[in-house]
Amino acid sequence: MQKGLVVVLALVLLFNYQVMSQGRDSLDIKIGQMLLIGFPGTQVDTAVLEEVRNGKVGSIIIFEKNIPPTNSFVALKKITWTYQQAAPIPLFVTIDQEGGKVNRLKSKYGFPNSITAAAMAKATSLDSVRFYGESTASTLAGLGININFAPVVDLSSNPTNPIIAKHGRAFSANEDSVILMATEFIKQHRKYGVLTSLKHFPGHGSSKDDTHLGIADVTNTWEERELKPYQALIDSGYVDAVMTSHIVNKRLEPDGHPGTLSDDVITGILRNRLHFNGVVFTDDMQMHAITKHYGLEEAIKLAILAGVDIMTFSNNISGSDQRTVDKVHGIIRSMVQNGTISESRIDESFRRIMKLKAQLGAKDVTASLKESLAKTQSELAAAQNSVKENRDKREETGKKKKKKSKKNKS
């Protein structure tokens, strides 16, 4: 715990030095840490690389469209490595690698075979979860991917659910079985230093609709027991992060906002009731459950005020307009400047994000921080010496002029 705190402090110190030495705006960098974006194609995108380098983006996400078709492992590793090297603060490099249908690293690219959560759960022991969890985690670690948006802890309570049950994404309809298997899946990831994020809070298992396509209302189908996996895993210390869902549940949110945009759901239930103080990611803000019912500014405002820390803009969903980093940055900055969102609220998310980033391969992060801090301190010292030398030269020149003036007068 103390080691983690040291790394957090080092990250914050590094952040402060970089702001000072490079003339960056601290609010812009804090806002950047709240943004997770996708990138086009199977190679490093120059525009995204520049946004990463300038601290305008704190996280990126990998989709199948980003997997180079040949020499896939090495080529993808080069991509993640290049982005990570450019980042002034370590990046979250994320992926949805659940297994089965939600599987970006397919065997046709040379990656290990994966199976669904439902298939893992059919085994008579936990060995299947352990095996596929470790296989996934070791692959991600080798690729430089440090957060897996898994496991799904939704309950498979509606067998006709088009987004969860249909694709075998849930371990079970029984909450205790979900807790048991999710814990083992997370343990395997932690062995390799890969963080995980539970999803989809506060429960997507009973839905009848797909939030990629529009509103999914679970007001009449959701059950209180859908919170049990979150509570148990939070209490046992196995939750690195949580991803919200865009489902509507008027029993939890009287105004009918999707969970992602609900203060009652995120702050009221997840933070105050379940006592989760870590990072909250949104599901994709470009899903039609959001974009068809909320404008970009309103969605961003509600999400941040609800207690979200990192918003996902994948630019990966057909029919959604492109959401540029500069546009989102400008919206958030404007809201801070006009008082709609307080800077202290931005600081809350920044601290949570820094704390989680401190867990990324502790030894490697600490070493890179020391190197970055030493370099930045050296640059600052050099700049200070240069200022002092120039000042001394001006003073010396001034003294000579005074002596010459006195001599001429005499």
Side-chain angles (χ1 to χ4, degrees), residues 105-405:
L105 307 175
K106 293 179 170 59
S107 55
K108 68 180 181 180
Y109 301 115
F111 296 107
N113 186 45
S114 69
I115 62 174
T116 65
M120 292 181 214
K122 288 180 180 178
T124 55
S125 71
L126 290 172
D127 285 348
S128 183
V129 177
R130 292 186 183 118
F131 175 82
Y132 286 105
E134 181 170 347
S135 176
T136 296
S138 60
T139 302
L140 298 184
L143 288 166
I145 297 170
N146 50 38
I147 292 189
N148 189 3
F149 289 134
V152 168
V153 293
D154 296 319
L155 308 186
S156 190
S157 52
N158 174 14
T160 63
N161 186 316
I163 192 66
I164 304 298
K166 179 182 177 182
H167 302 299
R169 297 176 68 189
F171 288 113
S172 173
N174 178 277
E175 61 270 30
D176 292 323
S177 296
V178 169
I179 293 165
L180 187 64
M181 285 178 272
T183 299
E184 289 303 320
F185 189 83
I186 293 166
K187 283 180 179 178
Q188 305 315 307
H189 281 65
R190 288 191 172 184
K191 280 166 57 175
Y192 291 89
V194 178
L195 303 174
T196 54
S197 178
L198 307 186
K199 61 186 186 186
H200 307 81
F201 189 83
H204 207 319
S206 65
S207 69
K208 298 176 181 178
D209 301 294
D210 183 347
T211 50
H212 292 80
L213 306 177
I215 288 290
D217 192 328
V218 298
T219 303
N220 298 320
T221 56
W222 185 86
E223 300 174 90
E224 185 74 18
R225 68 191 183 96
E226 295 183 52
L227 293 176
K228 190 173 178 181
Y230 293 97
Q231 183 69 81
L233 290 163
I234 289 167
D235 290 346
S236 61
Y238 280 105
V239 184
D240 299 319
V242 171
M243 177 178 281
T244 64
S245 73
H246 302 329
I247 56 98
V248 168
N249 188 337
K250 293 178 183 176
R251 289 166 56 191
L252 305 179
E253 161 59 62
D255 293 331
H257 293 310
T260 297
L261 310 183
S262 171
D263 175 71
D264 289 333
V265 170
I266 298 174
T267 296
I269 298 176
L270 182 58
R271 297 212 186 278
N272 295 342
R273 179 175 159 189
L274 304 186
H275 305 295
F276 179 67
N277 297 314
V279 169
V280 174
F281 288 88
T282 70
D283 208 338
D284 199 335
M285 295 288 283
Q286 291 172 286
M287 287 182 181
H288 293 170
I290 301 293
T291 59
K292 285 185 177 180
H293 302 274
Y294 296 85
L296 179 60
E297 291 190 24
E298 182 70 3
I300 289 171
K301 180 187 77 173
L302 289 174
I304 294 175
L305 293 179
V308 157
D309 298 305
I310 298 178
M311 291 172 288
T312 303
F313 295 94
S314 72
N315 290 323
N316 193 55
I317 294 180
S318 176
S320 289
D321 62 328
Q322 297 286 302
R323 307 294 175 93
T324 66
V325 169
D326 283 340
K327 187 173 183 179
V328 174
H329 253 273
I331 288 170
I332 299 173
R333 186 177 182 84
S334 176
M335 287 181 181
V336 173
Q337 290 173 335
N338 67 27
T340 302
I341 296 171
S342 68
E343 189 162 357
S344 64
R345 171 64 195 86
I346 303 297
D347 289 339
E348 283 176 12
S349 287
F350 180 71
R351 285 192 294 270
R352 291 188 195 113
I353 294 164
M354 290 298 99
K355 185 176 180 180
L356 187 59
K357 287 193 171 184
Q359 297 179 36
L360 296 177
K363 290 182 181 178
D364 293 338
V365 173
T366 303
S368 66
L369 282 171
K370 286 181 179 178
E371 183 181 340
S372 296
L373 283 169
K375 181 181 178 183
T376 311
Q377 287 173 316
S378 176
E379 290 171 351
L380 282 171
Q384 290 169 345
N385 287 335
S386 177
V387 170
K388 184 176 183 301
E389 287 174 5
N390 289 334
R391 186 179 65 239
D392 291 344
K393 285 180 182 178
R394 288 197 300 271
E395 289 178 354
E396 185 63 29
T397 302
K399 288 178 182 178
K400 287 180 180 178
K401 284 182 178 179
K402 284 183 180 180
K403 284 182 180 179
K404 187 174 182 180
S405 176

